[in-house]
Amino acid sequence: MIVYTITAQGTPQGCHAFKNGSDITFKLSVSDMACQNIWFYIGNDERVIMGREVPVNAASDGFFASVTLNTAELGAPDGLYFCHFEFMSNGKRYYTAFDNNENCYLTEHYVNEIQLLVYNEKYETPNWINGGVVYQIFPDRFARGGKSVRRPDGVYNDDWENGVPEHPTRVGEAFPNNTHFGGTLYGVVEKLDYLEKLGVNCIYLNPIFEAYSCHKYDTADFLSVDRSFGGDEALQLLIDKAHERGIKIVLDGVFNHVGNDSIYFDAYGKYGNGACSNPDSPYFNWFTFHNYPHTYESWWGITNLPKILRCESYIRFITEEVIPKYMKMGIDGWRLDVVDELEGDVLQRIVAAVKSYKSDAIVVGEVWEDASNKIAYNERKAYFRGAQLDSVTNYPIKNAIVDFVKYGDGSRFAETISALYRHYPPHKLAGLFNYLGSHDTERIATVLGGVPETELEYSQLATTRMPSDVREQTKELIKQAYLLLAALPGVPCIFYGDEIAMEGYRDPFNRRTFPESGFNDEMVDFFAMVNDIRRNEPLFTAERLVVTQKANGVVKLARVIGDKSLLIYANMSDKVYEGALDVKCVDLISGAEYTDKVIVPAKNVKILKTEE
């Protein structure tokens, strides 16, 4: 048996992210082997920082060794590090190595190391996000209302209830994507009663700045809210009315590209002083032209999205004009689009600008992988080292939950949540935006119950719907998936309409209009109940997480504060699960009490609270 532990006082057991100044103890225990010499090594991407021979301690069935170091010995206030033990036994050298679940094993050749993160916190992650619920809104499709001005360059579809989003005829084909359905920020204001009932304490808005398209990721003017959404006046009203109810507002910051039809690029000569229409433009240095003005760097090769260079005048524009304007209006934070494309020092300046106006504003980055160790654009990202992000979007857990609920793959789910727990600082874990779906993914209802996209012609994606009996079964699966999501560290982020099982394949079919009436209130009531329980139970903010079972389609988790626990049983097998209990528990959803065992039906999640 081999046990490798990394611990520090004040850090939850099993977490490998440590505050600067911590004394960290590394311990290796090995059974059924003798040891003559043992060494400990720790380093970063560039070099081995420390190599140290440590004393061998004999045990009745083997040996153990430990080393304690303070983070100051690593030579920097923060960083990502990797470490391992090596030892000699009967003339052979052995190395510690780790599987996908970071369980330790021995090998006679160097294979890999275990990761640890040291952070030096510059800003305090806002407490209001912990235990909250985020609601993501695609403004053109959520609700109509109030005053708006139709864009003269836009196409409008007035069939709110049944209209099909504009789409190409085949994958990869360019299309204008400027068909609007007329949703406004005034409409969001009129839905605040609904959102408050749902238990939402934060609204995250997809882009709202002036732009040609319906999705607004092609910014035309950062300093103006799109007139079709109601303009600056509508945003200010939404901020004020939401704050009266204790609801925060987070905007989408798309700071790595703009639209070609924008003040800054001006491909069509509409504005007169953009980089594409005037080589003497103050914005010219924001872009890279290969053959002026026809060919230029664009975001992922999409020519209507010219890519922004690393440019001092642009960085100052964002940090000294754009961010201050909306922070002064009262917004509560930003979600940064494709944050990987922002260099570390640029990201730090953006975060500093946000925090200078509101210390408890939140800055969340769009990241699709493990954010603690990501490398992108030849840079090891430092998102969680203390001067950058409060947290990130949690697509890894979204993918793991989908596979678990749909296929019963409990191992992947358990490995994913365990890895994030080990790698992320506890306060970053608490602020994760946990998704079942977003504007960039298929709707969760379609994923769980629809015909697989690969079995359909592209033309069928717009119109294919589930039969009514399948839809009812899918609603139950969504409930269980949401209950599991809500039980995990982080905050649920509901993509508008997932709480009523809206259907939709890939973009743009996942961005349909939210129905004005006639949807299933029973599902909304379930989501609201879960959110209410979550808001009022402190154990949902517990830092300590333990995965105790992950076999045969069943995963059991515990969230622990002191001697109190939440026991989370997720049974995604096709059989009833029975588990023994050694403590009295109460089911937080049904109120039922359990003493000696718990029974979990197939495709069901139960959350029990221990009573002692």
Side-chain angles (χ1 to χ4, degrees), residues 153-166:
D153 56 1
V155 176
Y156 284 81
N157 186 330
D158 293 320
D159 187 1
W160 182 270
E161 294 297 329
N162 300 299
V164 177
E166 177 189 6

Side-chain angles (χ1 to χ4, degrees), residues 207-225:
I208 61 171
F209 304 142
E210 194 79 37
Y212 172 76
S213 73
C214 64
H215 57 68
K216 309 303 177 192
Y217 281 94
D218 55 332
T219 306
D221 182 359
F222 284 108
L223 296 176
S224 298
V225 176

Side-chain angles (χ1 to χ4, degrees), residues 166-231:
E166 177 189 6
H167 59 277
T169 57
R170 61 182 181 274
V171 177
E173 182 181 63
F175 68 109
N177 215 351
N178 77 324
T179 297
H180 301 71
F181 280 82
T184 68
L185 298 181
Y186 291 113
V188 179
V189 172
E190 294 175 11
K191 287 283 191 181
L192 287 175
D193 282 345
Y194 170 79
L195 297 177
E196 188 173 30
K197 172 189 172 184
L198 191 59
V200 169
N201 79 325
C202 178
I203 296 170
Y204 150 46
L205 298 168
N206 281 117
I208 61 171
F209 304 142
E210 194 79 37
Y212 172 76
S213 73
C214 64
H215 57 68
K216 309 303 177 192
Y217 281 94
D218 55 332
T219 306
D221 182 359
F222 284 108
L223 296 176
S224 298
V225 176
D226 198 281
R227 73 200 89 168
S228 64
F229 293 162

Side-chain angles (χ1 to χ4, degrees), residues 2 8 78 100 154 219 225 278 320 360 492 603:
I2 304 149
D78 60 78
N100 289 337
T219 306
V225 176
N278 179 9
E320 297 177 11
D360 70 341
K603 300 294 184 182

Side-chain angles (χ1 to χ4, degrees), residues 276-438:
C276 194
S277 59
N278 179 9
D280 296 321
S281 167
Y283 313 118
F284 185 82
N285 290 333
W286 292 11
F287 307 96
T288 299
F289 289 94
H290 300 300
N291 180 22
Y292 184 82
H294 305 294
T295 59
Y296 45 86
E297 287 289 320
S298 58
W299 185 74
W300 289 22
I302 303 171
T303 56
N304 68 333
L305 298 176
K307 186 175 181 178
I308 300 289
L309 284 174
R310 179 192 174 92
C311 176
E312 180 62 24
S313 65
Y314 177 70
I315 298 168
R316 294 185 66 175
F317 171 66
I318 294 298
T319 58
E320 297 177 11
E321 295 186 53
V322 178
I323 287 172
K325 171 179 175 172
Y326 297 100
M327 297 305 298
K328 289 175 182 176
M329 290 180 72
I331 69 161
D332 303 285
W334 297 83
R335 175 263 192 193
L336 298 180
D337 188 57
V338 282
V339 72
D340 301 342
E341 298 184 14
L342 298 173
E343 294 94 339
D345 60 330
V346 175
L347 177 56
Q348 287 182 203
R349 290 173 65 178
I350 289 172
V351 173
V354 173
K355 299 290 188 176
S356 70
Y357 282 92
K358 186 178 287 188
S359 62
D360 70 341
I362 193 166
V363 184
V364 173
E366 181 196 12
V367 179
W368 288 65
E369 305 86 6
D370 185 326
S372 68
N373 54 28
K374 180 161 185 177
I375 297 176
Y377 301 93
N378 300 313
E379 180 183 45
R380 174 75 80 176
K381 298 300 183 179
Y383 297 140
F384 290 165
R385 298 189 197 174
Q388 295 186 10
L389 300 175
D390 288 306
S391 203
V392 293
T393 54
N394 196 0
Y395 284 99
I397 207 64
K398 174 256 179 195
N399 297 331
I401 287 178
V402 166
D403 284 352
F404 186 29
V405 174
K406 191 169 184 177
Y407 305 113
D409 185 359
S411 295
R412 180 184 178 188
F413 170 76
E415 288 172 6
T416 300
I417 189 61
S418 296
L420 297 181
Y421 174 73
R422 285 191 302 274
H423 293 171
Y424 289 14
H427 53 295
K428 307 298 187 184
L429 197 69
L432 286 174
F433 277 26
N434 288 341
Y435 290 109
L436 292 178
S438 76

